[in-house]
Amino acid sequence: MSTLSLFLDVPQAQKLEGSLLKTYKQDDSPNKMFLAYRVCMTSGGQPWVSSVVRKTRLQIAQDPSLNYEYTPVTGMRSFIQACVELLFGKHSRAIAENRVGGVHTVGDSGAFHLGAQFLKTWRQNSQIVYIVSSKKEHHGLIFQDMGFTVHEHCFWDSKQLCMDPNVLLNVVKQAPRGCVFVIGNIGNCKLTKCQWPKLIAIMKKKQIFPFFDISYQGLSTGDPEEDTRFLEYFVSGGFEFFCSQSLSRNFGIYDEGVGVLVVVALNNQILLCVLSQLMNCALALWLNPPTSGARIVTSILCNPALQEAWKQSLKEIVENIMLTKEKVKEKLRLLGTPGSWDHITNQSGSHSYLGLDYSQVEYLVKKKHIYIPKNSRINFTCINACNIDYITESINEAVLFTKASENCLQKFLE
Amino acid sequence: MSTLSLFLDVPQAQKLEGSLLKTYKQDDSPNKMFLAYRVCMTSGGQPWVSSVVRKTRLQIAQDPSLNYEYTPVTGMRSFIQACVELLFGKHSRAIAENRVGGVHTVGDSGAFHLGAQFLKTWRQNSQIVYIVSSKKEHHGLIFQDMGFTVHEHCFWDSKQLCMDPNVLLNVVKQAPRGCVFVIGNIGNCKLTKCQWPKLIAIMKKKQIFPFFDISYQGLSTGDPEEDTRFLEYFVSGGFEFFCSQSLSRNFGIYDEGVGVLVVVALNNQILLCVLSQLMNCALALWLNPPTSGARIVTSILCNPALQEAWKQSLKEIVENIMLTKEKVKEKLRLLGTPGSWDHITNQSGSHSYLGLDYSQVEYLVKKKHIYIPKNSRINFTCINACNIDYITESINEAVLFTKASENCLQKFLE
């Protein structure tokens, strides 16, 4: 009996990620390098893992008292508690008032998926989402697939070569009442003391629902408390909001995909209702969240000595990033590369814009085998003592080459 | 400025699970016991973990060569390969023909969620799902929430006290063309050599899409190969199908929630299209699946000595289950409890029906503080040398008491 496939109509899906990495892997050049890894790298070119993590992982594996039974759908309670305290500080008023809680989520998308599903059901009058971040975010697709109308905006001003807080302010001004604002990496986009109250006031007046993306707390300034201090504006402003808190990057446990969907409500009663609905969504999404990563994070955060060591490791990696950026800038200055390169050191975090235009990026990829994304946002932890000269010289070449062709074109036109 | 919550309309969600356990926990009786845990328990009353798992977990934690970078969206390739070989056997024709693949999934629900989402999009003409299993399944809700019409049927015949293969045959006969059949625990419902070809023929003719729930391979007969041998009927019958393969129970890593959505397609080209679409769904669901559990499973399955030790541990636990069931039956016989208790030993696996009616269950819960579900399906690994006498005596009492009240009622009516 010959059979026809039930899936004859299913086409190959468009690849959503990884094409740059794929091209890099297929490149035979001995000089090739990839500067767009999502994870922080050590100077030896290996994914960074906080030094306390390895030790903690071993201790957990050796602990005979642990049982590995199913966790509740909401996840490990101690983990959620520790994460929420990391986010808002142990003495946060909202925590004391029992109006902060969370659901243990999975992977880097889990919290967005769960939150989006909740908002889809319970905020039916406002299915418009603005995603404002320092880069193009994956989670736009999550909201889009669920039927939200999605508008995406980027803080990065590629002409002025800086993060522009006015992007956020302007988008908020235009946005309709009651919509959702998914805000990523707001710390990188330094709002002034005057801009904050203005932002808060408009968002409040328009009943905008904030949904913060906290995916590398501590990796921006090196101080986890500093990185999420802005949340206090929203807590004290009487906002209700969600945070997608991911602990993968700041602990270097990328493959554990461990996170929390954090909920801040006006009071405990409302919090419990929201959490109960989220729990039912989580039941259908994964039933029980995996705990390995959560155990590591909890062990570290609940032990003052380990927590201190973890914070120290964050500080070191951020100092290294700043040092690398300084060196890149200095080397470009010494090479006499046209332009100011202050925008490199003005940005915080591992991933920052080089501020190159498309033809310069293409020059680096095609001629120099240095693989960087079209927007020239690279991972500075991929730059180390072995490759910094080649990289800066190549950037210099790319800039000179494209300036030269511009000049040619200019002369030709004159 | 006083503020109204955005979530005033959000009610407390109905609890979907755990009410029996909650009542048990609130019970102050020193005799109380809970016989409905989802996980296998040791004779000491602790969740069972395969002995090789602890060793492997430690080895992994000590391995300095491992990096913990993000895994691809489809998950760990070696893990998927090992799981698929466990499911179909290393020398399966379908594997050799490159038409079996999978996506690494999360938790006990992940594979169903992912599969349901795919079927929702790509089988729009047949959004009817039949769930046939030996018990009420969670995943009914997953399909229902996505808008499928769901019909649920149970193999267990509570009057005849046996698993009835005719349930499946009858439901298949009535079902409309092209619908989806989610089949759980078919091994427990022993189809005869005559019934298998009949079932296959009707399903094939009606283009029914099978979606198997393989959540405790090896814990039914003690032999993993034996437990999934029935899949060969579908492979050789030229079916395309999904399996939700969970590795949590048979390795005793309940809190890792590790699984695979296995896809069998007619050829490699179709397989790749289906996998690419599933990958896009997984991207939105969790982006990167956690790997701790997958690493443990892969290390064990890819090492012949460890695999053998794991299989041995499965054999032991299944032998223990059968021994416990024999003992329960024997004790009831010695107590002179009315009825045949052969149905206890006729069922395989850790969870089996005691075959008590609702009033008998209520007697056990209310009078004897033995917490069992209304359908009397208990976890036999919760019974051990310390509690077996109390349990069997209580069952005897419950049966005698309810028979006595029946007789009274009978006499009263005469």
Side-chain angles (χ1 to χ4, degrees):
Chain A
M1 162 165 60
S2 98
T3 320
L4 272 182
S5 170
L6 298 174
F7 300 125
L8 276 182
D9 298 338
V10 179
Q12 181 84 33
Q14 215 192 321
K15 281 269 164 66
L16 291 176
E17 57 159 17
S19 57
L20 188 69
L21 186 60
K22 206 171 165 185
T23 328
Y24 161 74
K25 283 185 178 162
Q26 286 162 351
D27 187 338
D28 291 329
S29 162
N31 292 329
K32 71 171 178 177
M33 55 186 73
F34 189 73
L35 304 186
Y37 287 110
R38 285 164 62 202
V39 313
C40 286
M41 305 298 266
T42 63
S43 55
Q46 287 300 312
W48 172 82
V49 177
S50 174
S51 54
V52 278
V53 165
R54 287 194 196 277
K55 213 167 61 181
T56 308
R57 195 190 302 271
L58 197 57
Q59 273 167 358
I60 291 171
Q62 284 168 329
D63 185 345
S65 73
L66 280 180
N67 80 41
Y68 293 92
E69 208 181 332
Y70 284 111
T71 36
V73 181
T74 44
M76 269 176 69
R77 202 179 280 236
S78 54
F79 165 67
I80 295 168
Q81 183 67 23
C83 288
V84 160
E85 287 180 2
L86 176 67
L87 202 55
F88 297 102
K90 245 192 171 94
H91 306 291
S92 150
R93 206 184 61 187
I95 294 179
E97 288 167 356
N98 273 324
R99 57 190 187 88
V100 180
V103 177
H104 180 159
T105 56
V106 174
D108 271 9
S109 293
F112 283 112
H113 196 98
L114 193 59
Q117 211 166 317
F118 177 90
L119 295 171
K120 184 83 205 152
T121 312
W122 295 106
R123 303 262 298 150
Q124 291 194 350
N125 297 330
S126 42
Q127 307 269 294
I128 297 171
V129 175
Y130 285 79
I131 297 180
V132 193
S133 183
S134 58
K135 65 173 213 299
K136 168 95 182 153
E137 300 286 0
H138 262 308
H139 36 266
L141 283 170
I142 299 178
F143 286 94
Q144 210 171 294
D145 285 353
M146 282 195 205
F148 286 89
T149 306
V150 176
H151 303 279
E152 304 195 48
H153 298 272
C154 184
F155 295 135
W156 178 248
D157 180 334
S158 58
K159 292 213 178 66
Q160 304 295 323
L161 298 179
C162 65
M163 295 291 170
D164 181 5
N166 289 315
V167 170
L168 183 55
L169 282 162
N170 291 336
V171 176
V172 166
K173 273 180 206 156
Q174 292 156 21
R177 216 181 143 72
C179 66
V180 177
F181 258 72
V182 180
I183 303 176
N185 209 359
I186 197 173
N188 211 335
C189 158
K190 295 168 189 85
L191 275 84
T192 62
K193 284 232 161 122
C194 290
Q195 285 170 321
W196 271 115
K198 216 188 268 176
L199 177 71
I200 295 290
I202 313 174
M203 287 181 78
K204 185 88 183 180
K205 191 173 151 208
K206 289 196 165 184
Q207 297 200 309
I208 284 173
F209 184 75
F211 194 154
F212 297 104
D213 179 11
I214 315 282
S215 52
Y216 23 88
Q217 188 180 356
L219 284 174
S220 183
T221 64
D223 173 2
E225 276 173 50
E226 184 58 35
D227 281 7
T228 52
R229 204 179 297 281
F230 72 91
L231 289 174
E232 188 46 35
Y233 287 111
F234 293 88
V235 170
S236 58
F239 278 80
E240 293 183 301
F241 60 90
F242 285 170
C243 295
S244 161
Q245 183 185 16
S246 165
L247 291 305
S248 300
R249 292 180 199 209
N250 47 3
F251 284 82
I253 44 172
Y254 315 98
D255 65 336
E256 305 284 358
V258 59
V260 181
L261 175 63
V262 177
V263 180
V264 178
L266 281 195
N267 60 49
N268 180 256
Q269 200 186 343
I270 289 167
L271 174 72
L272 294 180
C273 289
V274 173
L275 289 178
S276 74
Q277 298 289 347
L278 288 170
M279 199 190 77
N280 272 6
C281 297
L283 202 73
L285 279 172
W286 44 69
L287 193 54
N288 303 94
T291 53
S292 287
R295 278 218 176 91
I296 293 172
V297 171
T298 313
S299 301
I300 293 173
L301 291 180
C302 292
N303 176 318
L306 293 180
Q307 188 182 118
E308 204 38 53
W310 168 67
K311 284 185 177 166
Q312 190 54 37
S313 70
L314 285 177
K315 219 174 139 222
E316 281 164 18
I317 193 169
V318 170
E319 278 169 5
N320 264 332
I321 292 168
M322 286 318 290
L323 205 64
T324 303
K325 288 180 175 173
E326 289 289 355
K327 279 186 197 158
V328 168
K329 193 169 89 171
E330 180 60 12
K331 282 193 188 279
L332 290 174
R333 196 188 61 80
L334 290 174
L335 288 165
T337 317
S340 145
W341 296 88
D342 290 337
H343 58 274
I344 293 183
T345 46
N346 285 343
Q347 298 168 73
S348 56
S350 53
H351 289 69
S352 297
Y353 290 92
L354 272 178
L356 302 181
D357 66 25
Y358 183 58
S359 65
Q360 292 161 344
V361 169
E362 203 168 52
Y363 186 93
L364 287 180
V365 175
K366 297 249 166 86
K367 304 267 180 200
K368 311 303 290 184
H369 308 275
I370 299 176
Y371 287 81
I372 71 174
K374 280 180 195 153
N375 61 10
S376 85
R377 189 171 178 271
I378 68 160
N379 180 346
F380 276 84
T381 67
C382 298
I383 302 180
N384 52 47
C386 300
N387 61 21
I388 190 165
D389 288 332
Y390 180 73
I391 292 170
T392 46
E393 281 157 21
S394 302
I395 293 173
N396 182 49
E397 256 184 51
V399 173
L400 292 180
F401 177 82
T402 51
K403 291 272 180 238
S405 8
E406 260 170 44
N407 286 346
C408 277
L409 190 66
Q410 197 62 36
K411 280 199 184 119
F412 179 81
L413 291 173
E414 270 164 11
Chain B
M1 161 165 60
S2 98
T3 320
L4 273 183
S5 170
L6 297 173
F7 300 124
L8 276 182
D9 299 338
V10 179
Q12 180 84 32
Q14 218 192 321
K15 281 268 163 68
L16 291 176
E17 59 158 18
S19 58
L20 188 69
L21 186 60
K22 206 171 166 187
T23 327
Y24 161 75
K25 283 185 177 162
Q26 286 164 350
D27 188 339
D28 291 329
S29 162
N31 292 328
K32 71 171 178 177
M33 56 187 71
F34 189 72
L35 304 186
Y37 286 110
R38 285 165 62 201
V39 313
C40 286
M41 305 298 265
T42 62
S43 55
Q46 289 298 314
W48 171 82
V49 176
S50 175
S51 54
V52 279
V53 165
R54 286 193 195 278
K55 214 166 63 182
T56 309
R57 193 190 304 271
L58 196 58
Q59 274 168 357
I60 291 171
Q62 284 168 330
D63 185 345
S65 72
L66 279 181
N67 81 39
Y68 294 92
E69 208 182 333
Y70 284 110
T71 37
V73 182
T74 45
M76 270 176 67
R77 203 178 277 237
S78 55
F79 165 67
I80 295 167
Q81 184 66 21
C83 288
V84 159
E85 287 181 2
L86 176 67
L87 202 56
F88 297 102
K90 248 195 169 92
H91 306 292
S92 150
R93 208 185 60 187
I95 294 179
E97 289 167 358
N98 273 324
R99 56 192 187 85
V100 181
V103 177
H104 180 158
T105 57
V106 174
D108 270 10
S109 294
F112 283 111
H113 196 98
L114 193 59
Q117 212 166 316
F118 177 89
L119 294 171
K120 185 81 205 155
T121 313
W122 295 106
R123 303 262 297 148
Q124 291 194 352
N125 297 330
S126 42
Q127 307 269 293
I128 298 172
V129 176
Y130 285 79
I131 297 182
V132 193
S133 183
S134 58
K135 65 174 215 295
K136 168 92 183 155
E137 300 286 1
H138 262 309
H139 36 266
L141 282 170
I142 300 178
F143 286 94
Q144 211 171 293
D145 284 354
M146 281 194 204
F148 286 91
T149 307
V150 176
H151 303 279
E152 304 196 49
H153 297 270
C154 184
F155 294 135
W156 177 247
D157 180 336
S158 58
K159 290 211 179 68
Q160 304 294 322
L161 299 179
C162 65
M163 296 290 170
D164 182 5
N166 288 313
V167 169
L168 183 56
L169 282 161
N170 291 336
V171 177
V172 166
K173 274 180 205 157
Q174 293 157 20
R177 218 179 140 74
C179 66
V180 177
F181 258 72
V182 180
I183 303 176
N185 209 358
I186 199 174
N188 211 335
C189 156
K190 296 167 189 86
L191 276 84
T192 62
K193 285 230 159 126
C194 291
Q195 285 170 322
W196 272 115
K198 217 188 266 177
L199 178 72
I200 296 290
I202 312 175
M203 287 181 77
K204 186 86 182 181
K205 193 174 150 209
K206 288 195 164 181
Q207 298 199 307
I208 284 172
F209 183 75
F211 194 154
F212 297 104
D213 178 11
I214 315 282
S215 52
Y216 23 88
Q217 187 180 357
L219 283 174
S220 183
T221 64
D223 173 2
E225 277 174 47
E226 183 58 35
D227 281 7
T228 52
R229 204 179 297 282
F230 73 90
L231 288 174
E232 186 48 35
Y233 287 111
F234 293 88
V235 171
S236 57
F239 279 80
E240 294 183 302
F241 60 91
F242 285 170
C243 295
S244 160
Q245 182 184 18
S246 164
L247 291 305
S248 300
R249 293 179 198 210
N250 47 4
F251 283 83
I253 44 172
Y254 314 99
D255 66 337
E256 305 283 359
V258 58
V260 180
L261 175 64
V262 176
V263 180
V264 178
L266 282 194
N267 59 51
N268 180 257
Q269 199 187 344
I270 289 169
L271 175 72
L272 293 180
C273 289
V274 174
L275 289 178
S276 74
Q277 297 290 347
L278 287 171
M279 200 190 78
N280 271 7
C281 297
L283 203 72
L285 279 173
W286 44 67
L287 194 54
N288 302 94
T291 54
S292 287
R295 279 219 174 93
I296 294 173
V297 170
T298 313
S299 302
I300 293 173
L301 291 180
C302 293
N303 176 319
L306 293 181
Q307 189 183 115
E308 204 39 51
W310 169 67
K311 285 184 176 167
Q312 189 55 37
S313 71
L314 286 177
K315 221 176 137 222
E316 279 163 22
I317 193 169
V318 170
E319 278 169 3
N320 264 332
I321 292 167
M322 287 317 289
L323 204 63
T324 303
K325 287 180 176 175
E326 290 288 354
K327 279 186 196 158
V328 169
K329 192 168 89 172
E330 180 60 11
K331 281 193 190 276
L332 290 174
R333 196 188 62 79
L334 289 173
L335 289 165
T337 317
S340 147
W341 297 87
D342 290 339
H343 58 273
I344 293 182
T345 46
N346 284 344
Q347 297 170 72
S348 57
S350 53
H351 289 69
S352 297
Y353 290 92
L354 272 179
L356 302 181
D357 65 25
Y358 182 57
S359 65
Q360 292 161 345
V361 169
E362 203 168 50
Y363 186 94
L364 287 180
V365 175
K366 297 251 165 89
K367 304 267 181 200
K368 311 304 292 184
H369 308 275
I370 299 176
Y371 288 80
I372 71 174
K374 280 181 194 152
N375 61 10
S376 86
R377 189 171 180 270
I378 67 161
N379 180 347
F380 276 85
T381 65
C382 298
I383 302 180
N384 52 46
C386 299
N387 61 20
I388 189 166
D389 288 331
Y390 181 73
I391 291 170
T392 46
E393 281 157 21
S394 302
I395 293 173
N396 182 48
E397 254 184 53
V399 173
L400 291 180
F401 178 82
T402 49
K403 290 276 180 236
S405 10
E406 258 170 45
N407 286 346
C408 276
L409 189 65
Q410 195 63 34
K411 278 197 187 121
F412 178 81
L413 293 172
E414 272 166 9

